[in-house]
Amino acid sequence: MKITLYLFAFLLAAKTAFSAAPGDKYIAIETQHTALVIRVDQDGDPTIVHLGKRLQNAAEYGLLPANEKRGEDYTKIYNSVYTPAGGRNLLEPALQVAHADGNPSADLRYVRHETQTVADGVVLTTVFLKDPQYPFEVMLYYKAYQNEDVIEQWTTIRHSEKKPVRLQKYASANLYIPARKYYLTHFHGDWAREMNPEEIPLTAGLKVLDTKLGTRADLFQPPSFLLALNQPAEEEIGEVIAGTLAWSGNYKIEFEIDPLRNLRLLAGINPYASEYTLAPGKEFTTPAFLYTYSNAGKGQASRNLHRWARKHRIPQGKGNRLTLLNNWEATYFDFNEEKLTALFKDGKKLGVDLFLLDDGWFANKYPRNNDQTGLGDWQENKQKLPHGLGYLVKEAESAGIKFGIWLEPEMVSPKSELYEKHPDWVIKLPNRAEYYFRNQLVLDLSNPKVQDFVYGVVDGILTKNPTLSYIKWDCNAVIYNAFSATNPNPSHLFVEYVQGLYKVLDRLRAKYPTLPLMLCSGGGGRVDYGALKYFTEFWPSDNTDGLERIFIQWNYSYFFPAIATCNHITDWGDQPIKFRTDVAMMGKMGYDIVVSKLDEKELAFSQQALQTYSRVKDVIWQGDLFRLASPQKNDLASLMYVSEKQDKALWFSYLVGNRYREGSQAPILLKGLNPSKKYRIQELNVYPGTNSPINHSQSVYSGDYLMTVGFNPQVDARRASVVLEVTEAN
């Protein structure tokens, strides 16, 4: 009864607009612990007056100051909820529009707002704004996920002017955050060195994170960040906002310190080369910007996003995943049916669920024997696969495992039948030399005919092979020489390419709702929650060196859960197979090795590790992540996953530096356990012929002891990776 009354009061507060002064309204968008509060003044100007901890007494939102003034706001809209360009604005706009009559300004005033419960624990608030001089409207959407403390925000623009208007900037979100200081952690990299963090203090002016690559938008700079308020970000201490844009194309995220020393945050599609012409009566909807506020450090922010993603975004986020053996490093392009069927038996012997056939299985006129030909010609290569994919599917199933394939359906090789037949389907400039990225070009997915072709490729393969069980969807090229031969609005290309991709994926998911799909883009070139609406998992990096992967997986984990992160054991790096296996186990584990080259102990270890993984994977996939020792700051990396009931945990520790006598020289404090429960600790993945110093002890420890005094996993140069299972003692 108490819980029911609490929820009723909570939802009532979320739906209320409070009036503290005549003509003023306060709209509270609330989750369990967070509030975003919008003030509407007597003139109808909507401004943000709070983003942070939710107040216990919702009526007190009406007492919030106008904008944390530390000086004069000449415009009165520094903290606008959606800043329009032109008129009285002096700062970076969220919206820039040229009206049908050429007027290059906008003025947005509050009309009304609506709040509704759209799902269990999900409340949607819509704020309607209108230009008082033009039939031009903006709707701001705030979807508040109560239990996960995540807000999803997006914008819709529409008008009924006599002629089209030109949208020159159209952000998804415009936030306003007062604090004393601001520390931004953003991530950068390149192929095989993704997600390198860099924390910087924000100073007066504008800091921009963006991309103009079209596809593989994350190659240099992912659309995800951590923003610490008042002090640098720590794992379990301090105020942190984690944000990420759910868009698989060009994006722009701006951080502006305004003249009052407050922070303005704008996020959305990059308007670069993307002016959008909006016809009367049509709507333009931006992608969603996702963010969560934590006053308990980076750890709580990432746990919020993980819970949200598993429950509300990633397909089968609460379900199962398949372990697989990939043939790429075993064969590259050089294979035939005999080689592949032998690998099926290796996969069964190892103990995986599925065999994945990678690049090189298709094209006949221009056979796919290297990366220079064949993309776009998605028929089985008759020389390599004379009996077709159906034969391989049946042979794999006869061997006791499932079968999946690699596709790159958005791309075309210049040397292909598709390019010869449909040169107008290819993104390229007229009267310019073609530039190739990985010897290929990008198909124009803004073209509905190309969308139908790409859908037909995938649907045709699945229709002919209904038990095919997995698709790895790759995207290796960026967009050079951006131009569409068929789009009547060339400046729409970057936007409508991504929209076209989503249309294809919507159709596929409608017909194949449970098919496992891996999101790959030359590694982690397209990892965002726009794409992860359709893909069950993603490939973080082509770099599978065990040591490098600790850092790469660590940094992805701030935004994406373990169940979606594909980690494969390969021959990259010089670490022993135990180390590589232990690292891969921190997510969705798989293999890309030559099983026949494993010695007796390596094979026995790998078989046992897969059995262990099958037993403990739910704790890793569904548990809360606690980072204990950062590889960025220590010669040791340590983290743990704790089950929701706090009765089980998996604890991973690795030596990442090789200085003399480095390792876990002292106990490590655990996190996330129940202080009142008793726990037993046992080492997993012990290599054949070795003994664990930990398993000799049958001691039982309280959660309070493990989180206050800690436990030493005894990591050193001889034990460079240690996996411990922490289990509630009966």
Side-chain angles (χ1 to χ4, degrees):
M1 182 66 179
K2 185 177 180 181
I3 294 175
T4 303
L5 290 173
Y6 167 80
L7 287 173
F8 176 79
F10 177 77
L11 292 173
L12 181 65
K15 293 181 180 181
T16 304
F18 303 96
S19 293
D24 288 359
K25 290 184 174 64
Y26 288 79
I27 305 166
I29 294 108
E30 294 184 312
T31 67
Q32 191 172 357
H33 299 105
T34 304
L36 171 69
V37 182
I38 298 169
R39 174 180 180 261
V40 182
D41 66 14
Q42 299 176 40
D43 296 324
D45 284 325
T47 55
I48 294 175
V49 292
H50 181 71
L51 173 56
K53 186 176 180 293
R54 177 178 171 231
L55 299 181
Q56 294 182 10
N57 181 2
E60 291 186 321
Y61 292 132
L63 305 177
L64 290 166
N67 65 354
E68 291 288 325
K69 282 188 177 181
R70 298 170 190 151
E72 183 66 28
D73 176 355
Y74 303 103
T75 68
K76 310 301 181 186
I77 57 168
Y78 282 177
N79 58 332
S80 172
V81 75
Y82 199 69
T83 311
R88 56 183 158 140
N89 173 50
L90 301 175
L91 304 175
E92 190 65 26
L95 175 72
Q96 186 174 4
V97 58
H99 292 283
D101 64 2
N103 190 319
S105 68
D107 186 11
L108 298 176
R109 303 299 175 95
Y110 170 85
V111 178
R112 60 189 174 89
H113 72 279
E114 299 174 351
T115 301
Q116 57 182 319
T117 299
V118 294
D120 184 25
V122 184
V123 178
L124 177 64
T125 299
T126 308
V127 180
F128 296 83
L129 309 177
K130 186 182 180 301
D131 190 311
Q133 299 300 322
Y134 289 88
F136 183 91
E137 301 170 84
V138 172
M139 286 72 71
L140 306 177
Y141 297 90
Y142 303 86
K143 186 179 283 188
Y145 297 87
Q146 310 295 309
N147 298 325
E148 295 79 22
D149 287 316
V150 168
I151 296 175
E152 182 179 9
Q153 181 175 347
W154 70 95
T155 303
T156 294
I157 302 167
R158 68 187 180 199
H159 73 95
S160 56
E161 299 185 29
K162 294 182 179 179
K163 295 181 180 180
V165 303
R166 293 182 290 121
L167 303 180
Q168 295 159 331
K169 190 176 182 183
Y170 31 88
S172 299
N174 183 172
L175 302 179
Y176 195 74
I177 307 163
R180 297 184 303 278
K181 294 182 180 180
Y182 312 90
Y183 298 88
L184 173 67
T185 301
H186 61 104
F187 301 83
H188 59 90
D190 202 339
W191 177 80
R193 52 188 183 94
E194 291 87 349
M195 290 298 286
N196 299 290
E198 185 171 342
E199 185 175 58
I200 59 170
L202 292 175
T203 57
L206 196 64
K207 171 68 176 177
V208 177
L209 310 178
D210 77 339
T211 184
K212 304 177 183 71
L213 303 180
T215 59
R216 285 190 80 176
D218 297 12
L219 179 60
F220 302 137
Q221 181 83 54
S224 304
F225 65 87
L226 300 167
L227 178 68
L229 308 180
N230 302 314
Q231 65 182 31
E234 296 187 40
E235 193 60 38
E236 304 293 341
I237 299 173
E239 293 184 274
V240 174
I241 294 171
T244 186
L245 187 70
W247 180 246
S248 306
N250 293 349
Y251 71 87
K252 191 172 191 178
I253 303 175
E254 300 164 297
F255 304 85
E256 182 177 25
I257 304 291
D258 75 5
L260 305 183
R261 306 297 296 176
N262 297 320
L263 177 64
R264 306 176 67 253
L265 194 165
L266 298 99
I269 295 173
N270 195 335
Y272 165 78
S274 297
E275 180 175 281
Y276 200 90
T277 302
L278 186 63
K282 300 294 184 180
E283 291 189 346
F284 181 86
T285 298
T286 71
F289 177 61
L290 296 151
Y291 53 99
T292 182
Y293 166 83
S294 162
N295 60 3
K298 297 182 290 185
Q300 186 60 53
S302 62
R303 289 188 288 275
N304 291 347
L305 287 174
H306 295 174
R307 291 175 189 149
W308 170 84
R310 291 192 299 259
K311 184 175 181 181
H312 299 285
R313 178 54 51 100
I314 298 172
Q316 294 98 57
K318 295 283 189 177
N320 192 28
R321 296 291 185 271
L322 301 172
T323 57
L324 63 84
L325 174 65
N326 194 343
N327 72 298
W328 181 246
E329 292 193 15
T331 67
Y332 296 99
F333 291 100
D334 182 19
F335 56 81
N336 55 32
E337 289 178 345
E338 185 179 359
K339 283 186 180 180
L340 295 178
T341 53
L343 292 176
F344 299 163
K345 297 173 183 176
D346 284 346
K348 180 61 177 177
K349 181 179 180 181
L350 182 63
V352 298
D353 302 313
L354 176 137
F355 178 86
L356 173 64
L357 175 59
D358 214 292
D359 195 357
W361 58 268
F362 51 91
N364 287 294
K365 183 177 180 180
Y366 303 107
R368 183 70 169 177
N369 295 325
N370 53 53
D371 68 0
Q372 298 181 28
T373 61
L375 281 178
D377 301 342
W378 298 103
Q379 69 279 147
E380 296 99 322
N381 179 274
K382 295 177 182 178
Q383 185 174 359
K384 293 181 183 179
L385 309 178
H387 298 97
L389 287 175
Y391 170 79
L392 294 179
V393 173
K394 291 178 181 177
E395 286 296 303
E397 292 171 349
S398 296
I401 59 175
K402 297 181 179 182
F403 183 84
I405 59 166
W406 175 95
L407 288 170
E408 194 174 3
E410 301 166 64
M411 304 296 162
V412 62
S413 298
K415 201 169 184 180
S416 67
E417 292 184 86
L418 180 66
Y419 186 88
E420 292 175 344
K421 293 176 182 177
H422 299 286
D424 59 324
W425 285 9
V426 179
I427 294 175
K428 60 175 183 174
L429 281 166
N431 305 318
R432 297 288 184 191
E434 292 180 352
Y435 289 99
Y436 306 130
F437 196 104
R438 202 191 180 227
N439 304 304
Q440 61 196 58
L441 292 165
V442 182
L443 291 175
D444 181 7
L445 275 172
S446 74
N447 183 340
K449 292 182 179 178
V450 176
Q451 295 169 24
D452 289 340
F453 168 77
V454 172
Y455 171 80
V457 166
V458 185
D459 180 55
I461 291 171
L462 292 170
T463 300
K464 286 174 62 179
N465 305 283
T467 60
L468 192 143
S469 301
Y470 190 92
I471 288 178
K472 176 183 177 182
W473 184 301
D474 216 338
C475 171
N476 281 298
V478 301
I479 294 179
Y480 285 148
N481 291 357
F483 180 78
S484 169
T486 59
N487 197 318
N489 295 290
S491 65
H492 291 193
L493 174 60
F494 281 128
V495 174
E496 293 182 352
Y497 179 92
V498 181
Q499 292 175 337
L501 171 65
Y502 291 167
K503 287 177 182 177
V504 172
L505 293 169
D506 274 324
R507 292 172 68 184
L508 287 171
R509 271 295 173 218
K511 188 170 182 180
Y512 307 100
T514 61
L515 178 71
L517 292 174
M518 181 201 288
L519 172 66
C520 182
S521 188
R526 183 193 274 170
V527 183
D528 64 82
Y529 280 118
L532 284 173
K533 176 182 177 181
Y534 307 101
F535 290 84
T536 50
E537 54 222 64
F538 70 91
W539 184 236
S541 176
D542 284 343
N543 186 342
T544 52
D545 178 292
L547 181 60
E548 294 288 339
R549 266 305 186 106
I550 291 171
F551 292 85
I552 292 170
Q553 293 167 199
W554 184 280
N555 293 316
Y556 273 114
S557 77
Y558 285 113
F559 308 98
F560 306 103
I563 192 172
T565 309
C566 295
N567 307 330
H568 290 185
I569 298 102
T570 77
D571 289 330
W572 276 52
D574 58 1
Q575 306 88 20
I577 196 167
K578 171 178 163 50
F579 189 100
R580 288 174 277 143
T581 302
D582 291 350
V583 172
M585 194 175 277
M586 294 189 298
K588 190 257 180 183
M589 192 165 75
Y591 289 82
D592 196 337
I593 58 175
V594 183
V595 177
S596 61
K597 292 185 179 180
L598 298 177
D599 65 31
E600 184 179 349
K601 286 185 177 180
E602 289 174 331
L603 178 60
F605 169 80
S606 299
Q607 292 169 329
Q608 183 59 52
L610 274 166
Q611 293 178 26
T612 300
Y613 182 68
S614 180
R615 180 175 63 82
V616 303
K617 62 187 181 183
D618 282 346
V619 178
I620 300 168
W621 293 349
Q622 304 297 333
D624 281 331
L625 170 61
F626 294 87
R627 303 178 193 88
L628 310 179
S630 170
Q632 265 86 228
K633 298 179 180 179
N634 305 278
D635 285 328
L636 179 77
S638 189
L639 58 81
M640 63 189 297
Y641 298 91
V642 182
S643 67
E644 185 177 356
K645 294 181 179 179
Q646 297 175 303
D647 58 342
K648 296 178 183 178
L650 267 294
W651 178 13
F652 299 88
S653 299
Y654 310 95
L655 187 67
V656 297
N658 58 2
R659 297 291 301 275
Y660 177 63
R661 296 186 69 181
E662 278 301 336
S664 55
Q665 298 175 347
I668 297 173
L669 302 184
L670 277 63
K671 298 175 184 175
L673 301 176
N674 185 328
S676 300
K677 289 186 176 182
K678 301 289 186 180
Y679 296 94
R680 182 172 284 108
I681 298 176
Q682 179 180 6
E683 184 167 356
L684 306 180
N685 290 1
V686 178
Y687 198 74
T690 65
N691 295 312
S692 168
I694 291 170
N695 291 350
H696 293 307
S697 171
Q698 297 300 316
S699 299
V700 173
Y701 307 86
S702 69
D704 178 52
Y705 178 92
L706 292 172
M707 293 189 292
T708 304
V709 178
F711 186 89
N712 191 338
Q714 300 188 42
V715 176
D716 57 33
R718 293 168 298 177
R719 288 168 49 80
S721 65
V722 176
V723 181
L724 299 176
E725 184 177 25
V726 183
T727 309
E728 183 178 359
N730 296 324

